[in-house]
Amino acid sequence: MILNMKRESRLVIGMLAVIGLLALGASVAGNADRPGQVVQTPTNGGPASVGSNERLRELLTERYEILKSGVASLEIFFSSGRISLWEWRDAHVALYKAKADLATDVIEQIRTYEEMVGFVRACEQKARQRADAGHMTEADVQRARLDTIEAQIALEKLRMSRPQ
């Protein structure tokens, strides 16, 4: 039984490490301070830039697919209480950001960020319910609230960047 728990723990840690590395790669690539930046073809349109854009699109798609399968795996662990609300939420947020990076226009990105805001609001409500039941602290609820506010700020920045 203990060995089985260690094996499951290693799996969860491995999945989180992959998700963390993917998120780190995205932020290093310049997406950290600009939510959901749209990938556009340079104006010179040379052969090298077209190949680069295709390669970037392939990488973004691969990242999304990996995160999607990771989230699906984590759903089972979350529903059985084996991972925390934070791990579950962070995996979903990374998936939403990857989906927004794949969006072809700002409107699609805004829809994705609206979905993400709804999701983090639901996580905030779960945190409140768990705190009311004595399973989380008030600091956890405040952390969840801050996460909701951060998602709302990113959404509003994206809306402001939308061409009129």
Side-chain angles (χ1 to χ4, degrees):
M1 174 112 175
I2 292 175
L3 291 176
N4 190 27
M5 289 175 55
K6 283 185 179 182
R7 194 173 310 129
E8 290 172 0
S9 175
R10 286 184 191 151
L11 176 64
V12 171
I13 291 171
M15 290 296 297
L16 291 175
V18 168
I19 290 169
L21 288 173
L22 289 171
L24 178 62
S27 65
V28 169
N31 291 334
D33 55 345
R34 284 187 238 152
Q37 185 176 5
V38 176
V39 177
Q40 297 178 351
T41 305
T43 54
N44 64 6
S49 65
V50 172
S52 295
N53 283 339
E54 289 173 7
R55 179 67 180 142
L56 178 59
R57 188 81 180 161
E58 289 172 8
L59 291 169
L60 290 170
T61 302
E62 183 179 359
R63 177 182 67 170
Y64 176 77
E65 292 301 323
I66 291 170
L67 288 169
K68 187 175 173 183
S69 67
V71 164
S73 298
L74 291 177
E75 286 294 332
I76 297 165
F77 290 115
F78 181 70
S79 63
S80 64
R82 293 181 182 172
I83 62 170
S84 72
L85 175 66
W86 311 123
E87 293 167 307
W88 181 69
R89 190 231 31 238
D90 289 347
H92 276 81
V93 168
L95 181 63
Y96 281 118
K97 288 181 179 181
K99 182 178 177 184
D101 286 344
L102 278 171
T104 56
D105 63 9
V106 177
I107 302 300
E108 193 177 338
Q109 290 178 335
I110 289 171
R111 279 191 217 113
T112 301
Y113 268 77
E114 287 172 342
E115 288 176 32
M116 183 173 67
V117 167
F119 175 78
V120 293
R121 277 188 182 142
C123 289
E124 181 182 348
Q125 291 172 349
K126 285 181 186 288
R128 169 55 56 200
Q129 291 168 350
R130 290 180 180 192
D132 290 346
H135 300 295
M136 286 188 146
T137 66
E138 193 60 35
D140 291 326
V141 175
Q142 293 301 314
R143 175 182 171 191
R145 180 66 189 140
L146 284 173
D147 291 337
T148 302
I149 290 170
E150 289 296 327
Q152 289 173 317
I153 289 169
L155 174 61
E156 291 306 317
K157 284 181 178 180
L158 192 57
R159 284 179 176 156
M160 289 188 313
S161 72
R162 179 178 54 191
Q164 299 298 328

